């Protein structure tokens, strides 16, 4: 019984540690895709990251980055309009 409990606790700690590393390990970028392609060519085994997944991830990252900049610009728009009106000599306040 003690041996089974020890194994169960060890599994829980291992899974908890793996859960913390999972986003870093599963991140698919061009570097990992290239490494996996080289492993496939030399050893015959590769990981789950390929250039298609890396391209999709890069495309999503660029889209998110653009959306963030657009949202920031929309948030600053009232301030920019106020500055423009002051420069033209028209105050909205």
């Amino acid at each position: 019984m003690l041996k089974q409990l020890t194994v169960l606790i060890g599994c829980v700690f291992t899974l908890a540690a793996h859960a913390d590393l999972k986003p870093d390990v599963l991140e698919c970028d061009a570097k990992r895709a290239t490494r996996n392609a080289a492993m496939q060519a030399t050893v015959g085994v590769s990981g789950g990251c390929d250039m298609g997944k890396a391209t999709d991830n890069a495309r999503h990252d660029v889209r998110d980055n653009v959306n963030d900049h657009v949202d920031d610009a929309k948030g600053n728009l009232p301030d920019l309009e106020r500055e423009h009106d002051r420069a033209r000599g028209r105050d909205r306040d």
Side-chain angles (χ1 to χ4, degrees):
M1 178 72 177
L2 184 60
K3 185 176 181 181
Q4 291 172 343
L5 184 61
T6 305
V7 170
L8 181 63
I9 291 173
C11 289
V12 168
F13 284 124
T14 303
L15 290 174
H18 180 67
D20 289 339
L21 294 176
K22 196 171 187 178
D24 297 333
V25 172
L26 295 179
E27 183 101 14
C28 184
D29 57 2
K31 181 179 175 182
R32 287 199 172 102
T34 304
R35 184 189 67 206
N36 284 342
M39 284 180 53
Q40 177 67 32
T42 57
V43 181
V45 177
S46 69
C49 181
D50 61 358
M51 287 309 278
K53 288 181 184 178
T55 304
D56 287 342
N57 285 348
R59 184 171 45 90
H60 290 297
D61 289 345
V62 168
R63 183 181 296 154
D64 289 342
N65 194 9
V66 168
N67 288 338
D68 289 344
H69 285 294
V70 169
D71 290 342
D72 289 345
K74 285 180 180 177
N76 293 331
L77 190 58
D79 295 335
L80 294 174
E81 288 176 344
R82 211 172 300 127
E83 288 178 25
H84 178 71
D85 288 343
R86 280 191 204 133
R88 298 279 184 196
R90 296 176 280 179
D91 285 333
R92 291 184 175 195
D93 299 334

